[in-house]
Amino acid sequence: MRTRVRVLMRVLTVALTAAMAAPLAAQGVDIDARLQAVRAELSGLTIPPASAFASAPRSVRAGDVADGPIAAVGDIRIDGTVSGDVVSLDGDIIVGEGGRISGAAIAIGGEIRAAQGSIAGERRVIGGALLPTAPPTALGLVGERAALTAGWSGIVLLIGLGVLFFGGSTLQRIGQTLDTQFGRSFVVAALAIVGAAPGLILACIALALTVIGILLIPFVIVAAVLAAAGILVLAFLASARMAGHAMLRTNAAGDRQAAVRALVVGVLGFTGLWLSVALLASVPLAGVIVRLLAIGSTGAALAAGVGATVLSRGGRRASGALGATPRAAPATHRGTPALGASDAWQTPTPVAGVAAVRRPASTTGRTP
Amino acid sequence: MTRPHAFLTALAVCAALTLPAGAQAWRTLDISRPLDEQGALRTTVTFGAGRLSLRPDRAAHLYDLSLRYDADRATPIYTFDALERSLLVGVRYADGGSRWRSDRGSELRLALPTSLDLDLNIEAGAAEGEIDLTGLRVRALALSVGAADTRLRIDQPNAHRIPVLRLDAGAANLETIHLANARADRIVVNVGVGRVLLDMSGSWEADTDIEVSAALGKIELIVPPAVGVRIEMSSLLQSVELPGLSKVGNAWVSADYDSAPHKLRLTASGALGRIELRRSAR
């Protein structure tokens, strides 16, 4: 019984000591961290180490001479003479009548009041939110990146839905071009990317040569930037939609509901990829691999999309009009080739008693 | 929750996540140093966006600086080299340049002594500036403004003659008040698409040459009636409004130019720009 009481008392003593020491240790860490933050932010500032800071207000009485630096958490009152600097944290530096500081006076989170005394060196008052930003935890970083990814996905989805509802046929034509001329889209994208900047420069030079055209140069630059942004958005949306169709195994020439579903699934697919990057960012090898994978796939989707957008003249022209031979349409989930995108219209052959199927003029730009 | 509702909710959450946090860590830094009489002070101010104020200091300070900045995005610039007698103050942004996006909370206030000779170099990005050099002993002055309203005023004659005074206004609205008090021999003005007002009223002791280079900008010139004006333009595409001036050769000249006690010669070059002249009351 007595042993148990002894053990209990020891445990309580240790707990009490730890509880009392914790705030002091926390304060020490806090002061050090804050001083480090100030040192990092204000280069060239000479601030003594945290251990030099007295934990209570300090004063130098009239007639006394003290060697600096004098540092304290709280107010510092100088009525005598200090040879060196005076640094206060969360307190004021008050130089009374006859008080003298031969060095600098630095008040961090306080003020300097020296109407009656003198300060030979520099006066610095550092105020504001001086608590250093806590270093982000791994979980916090993941959360931040995940939120950023989700946010971007949300924006892309909103834009995509807008484009789909107000210009669905445009997106469909780009998607169709992407589907039928995938390789060519890459080549065109490469040419477009390489030629965009020189083309813009040439256009500006040509305008400058006409002298009066100089006025148009700013508009041309703004228009070019807007066009590039539009092409990139359309390119990504078309690629995401195609990826969504591929994931859902549905036909690209489906109805609007299917298109919305494909777009959402496609964007979420890319989101998942980038969320993986966010989650694995701190993992050395896997993080790099997933990041490369995400950059590669997104870049490829963008490049192919840009090419398809350019090839389809921004979705105003169907791939069939470009003279390319369309590939056989992917099978729908029922195993039936899509009408209009393949040679399905050729059957059945009109024979006696069987009505021939009308050949569709063009399915692009229309929903069947 | 039905499917469309769930979908819309998800979209709303995504959109909410994209909203900027808006967290800013405003920091203030006040630095001053007692005045000494050890020689001229070279001062460079570089400030991106916010409010910029430079004024004469009536107290006994070598300099008195007050900075307010967002510590999350910017770090203060402050260097004083006692040997070189040079002071560099300003704000540096994390991306290395001066951010032109809205940074309205930022502020730089600098007071300089009236008893020391000063060389001033001020670079302001998108900062709204109020620069009062009245009473300062300015030996050299260069002022560059990016894209904001800035006013430079000198209400008393400068103690020194300034050999070359440089003013750059990219897309800014730069107004100079009583610029003749700067006592500049030559004023070089570069304007991009902004507006520069050169109020040449003040104390005239000698002739002044102004060189203007304007791409699409506008120069407004206010000159006292007793000063003879001659304006020469190298570009035909510049438009002018020069009342009281008549064309003589390839220049516009005021009627009293030859007999005027002081003369202002302005040469303008550039692609497209506009020059307007007005006469001040005195």
Side-chain angles (χ1 to χ4, degrees):
Chain A
M1 187 67 186
R2 191 180 283 177
T3 315
R4 278 185 187 176
V5 171
R6 209 176 287 165
V7 170
L8 189 63
M9 287 298 287
R10 278 181 188 169
V11 169
L12 279 173
T13 307
V14 169
L16 195 62
T17 309
M20 287 172 70
L24 291 173
Q27 190 186 25
V29 169
D30 182 39
I31 291 171
D32 198 33
R34 292 175 68 188
L35 293 177
Q36 277 183 18
V38 172
R39 280 191 205 101
E41 198 167 306
L42 305 169
S43 57
L45 192 64
T46 310
I47 297 178
S51 57
F53 276 74
S55 56
R58 285 194 63 178
S59 63
V60 175
R61 287 180 297 182
D64 287 357
V65 177
D67 289 330
I70 288 181
V73 179
D75 292 348
I76 302 175
R77 183 171 182 90
I78 309 293
D79 291 309
T81 302
V82 175
S83 304
D85 298 342
V86 175
V87 185
S88 73
L89 180 63
D90 293 338
D92 298 344
I93 296 174
I94 306 131
V95 187
E97 190 174 358
R100 187 175 183 281
I101 298 171
S102 69
I106 302 167
I108 304 167
E111 291 179 3
I112 296 173
R113 287 180 275 161
Q116 295 169 309
S118 71
I119 299 169
E122 205 172 73
R123 297 176 188 209
R124 289 203 193 199
V125 177
I126 303 158
L130 280 165
L131 282 171
T133 312
T137 59
L139 196 63
L141 275 176
V142 167
E144 200 175 301
R145 290 178 189 135
L148 194 69
T149 308
W152 274 108
S153 300
I155 290 173
V156 170
L157 262 181
L158 284 175
I159 295 171
L161 290 174
V163 171
L164 210 56
F165 282 109
F166 295 106
S169 56
T170 303
L171 212 54
Q172 191 175 0
R173 286 189 200 110
I174 297 170
Q176 201 177 29
T177 309
L178 190 61
D179 186 39
T180 55
Q181 303 182 62
F182 192 75
R184 200 175 163 194
S185 295
F186 266 114
V187 176
V188 171
L191 290 174
I193 290 164
V194 169
L200 183 62
I201 291 167
L202 279 176
C204 290
I205 290 171
L207 285 170
L209 287 176
T210 63
V211 182
I212 197 73
I214 291 170
L215 284 171
L216 295 174
I217 290 176
F219 299 103
V220 168
I221 291 170
V222 171
V225 170
L226 289 176
I231 287 173
L232 282 174
V233 169
L234 279 176
F236 182 75
L237 292 175
S239 295
R241 189 184 156 193
M242 289 307 293
H245 278 302
M247 281 188 263
L248 292 171
R249 299 186 179 197
T250 53
N251 183 11
D255 58 5
R256 179 171 283 182
Q257 199 178 350
V260 169
R261 212 177 298 132
L263 181 70
V264 171
V265 168
V267 170
L268 288 181
F270 281 104
T271 306
L273 202 54
W274 283 100
L275 278 176
S276 310
V277 175
L279 289 171
L280 298 171
S282 310
V283 183
L285 186 62
V288 172
I289 292 170
V290 173
R291 182 178 289 268
L292 287 175
L293 194 67
I295 291 171
S297 56
T298 310
L302 269 174
V306 164
T309 309
V310 173
L311 274 174
S312 64
R313 312 284 193 270
R316 283 177 297 161
R317 198 170 168 184
S319 62
L322 300 173
T325 310
R327 278 184 358 213
T332 62
H333 60 286
R334 286 178 189 149
T336 313
L339 192 68
S342 71
D343 52 0
W345 60 273
Q346 293 176 353
T347 58
T349 306
V351 290
V354 180
V357 172
R358 183 187 295 274
R359 176 186 176 174
S362 171
T363 56
T364 55
R366 295 175 201 164
T367 47
Chain B
M1 192 180 276
T2 59
R3 269 189 183 183
H5 285 159
F7 181 65
L8 287 173
T9 309
L11 278 182
V13 169
C14 289
L17 285 169
T18 63
L19 293 174
Q24 290 174 311
W26 290 108
R27 195 80 44 100
T28 57
L29 176 64
D30 298 284
I31 306 176
S32 64
R33 185 178 284 269
L35 181 65
D36 59 40
E37 301 291 341
Q38 293 176 5
L41 182 66
R42 285 194 294 121
T43 304
T44 302
V45 178
T46 171
F47 190 60
R51 293 181 65 82
L52 169 68
S53 158
L54 194 151
R55 60 180 172 80
D57 183 23
R58 307 295 176 195
H61 290 132
L62 183 62
Y63 52 84
D64 188 355
L65 168 71
S66 290
L67 263 178
R68 186 174 189 268
Y69 58 96
D70 181 3
D72 280 347
R73 296 193 294 170
T75 51
I77 302 169
Y78 165 71
T79 310
F80 174 68
D81 188 329
L83 288 175
E84 294 289 325
R85 302 288 291 173
S86 67
L87 172 69
L88 170 64
V89 296
V91 170
R92 180 187 296 116
Y93 287 90
D95 58 6
S98 58
R99 288 191 179 175
W100 284 26
R101 67 183 182 188
S102 176
D103 202 357
R104 294 192 182 280
S106 292
E107 189 171 9
L108 186 153
R109 284 181 285 133
L110 179 65
L112 293 170
T114 53
S115 58
L116 288 182
D117 294 342
L118 299 170
D119 297 342
L120 295 176
N121 182 13
I122 302 163
E123 295 168 8
E128 288 179 18
E130 195 70 43
I131 297 161
D132 186 356
L133 304 183
T134 306
L136 296 179
R137 299 169 61 85
V138 182
R139 292 192 314 190
L141 174 62
L143 171 62
S144 174
V145 191
D149 292 345
T150 299
R151 177 177 291 197
L152 166 73
R153 67 180 311 131
I154 311 173
D155 292 339
Q156 290 173 14
N158 187 16
H160 298 284
R161 287 205 73 79
I162 299 176
V164 183
L165 191 158
R166 295 184 185 280
L167 300 172
D168 286 345
N173 179 24
L174 173 62
E175 292 187 352
T176 58
I177 312 295
H178 306 318
L179 196 57
N181 284 333
R183 300 179 67 209
D185 294 325
R186 193 157 68 97
I187 299 172
V188 178
V189 184
N190 287 300
V191 196
V193 292
R195 166 185 173 262
V196 175
L197 170 73
L198 299 172
D199 173 5
M200 294 302 294
S201 59
S203 172
W204 277 81
E205 296 172 2
D207 297 350
T208 299
D209 290 302
I210 301 179
E211 294 168 21
V212 172
S213 174
L216 293 169
K218 181 181 176 185
I219 304 285
E220 290 178 40
L221 194 62
I222 300 175
V223 184
V227 175
V229 179
R230 176 189 165 90
I231 295 177
E232 197 171 327
M233 285 175 293
S234 61
S235 171
L236 292 174
L237 290 169
Q238 281 168 332
S239 63
V240 292
E241 188 179 324
L242 307 170
L245 271 62
S246 53
K247 193 101 187 263
V248 178
N250 60 346
W252 296 83
V253 184
S254 62
D256 59 343
Y257 182 76
D258 291 329
S259 60
H262 301 296
K263 297 178 176 62
L264 186 149
R265 291 176 289 269
L266 187 146
T267 55
S269 62
L272 288 161
R274 181 169 175 77
I275 297 174
E276 289 179 10
L277 172 72
R278 294 201 303 271
R279 290 288 186 174
S280 60
R282 57 190 176 86

